[in-house]
Amino acid sequence: MTTGQQDIKNDPYRLAIVAAERLRNALSAHGITVPSLRGSHPVMTTPFVELGGCSDGVAEALSAVLEKVEPV
């Protein structure tokens, strides 16, 4: 593991940014864009991703995708 990778694993803010980017890419694969999605400062020590607001069309598209998969 490189120093950069180790830094990311120990930095909640960077973890949030990476998680937000992963979610953005996954949504994009389904043609969904949430403009206000972003990694944010940690809450306590937990990485935090802000999903923010979206149009009703985006909410409907996201719901349709989620309804097709089994809940975790």
Side-chain angles (χ1 to χ4, degrees):
M1 178 182 309
T2 68
T3 302
Q5 290 172 326
Q6 188 172 9
D7 290 344
I8 288 173
K9 289 188 176 201
N10 294 323
D11 183 344
Y13 181 63
R14 288 184 183 190
L15 286 170
I17 291 170
V18 170
E21 188 62 29
R22 181 177 178 199
L23 180 56
R24 180 178 293 108
N25 291 336
L27 291 170
S28 179
H30 293 278
I32 299 170
T33 300
V34 179
S36 51
L37 173 66
R38 68 186 185 98
S40 187
H41 295 283
V43 174
M44 305 294 277
T45 59
T46 302
F48 192 75
V49 175
E50 292 186 27
L51 298 175
C54 64
S55 69
D56 64 327
V58 170
E60 291 293 334
L62 182 55
S63 296
V65 169
L66 292 172
E67 288 166 352
K68 291 179 184 178
V69 297
E70 290 292 321
V72 178

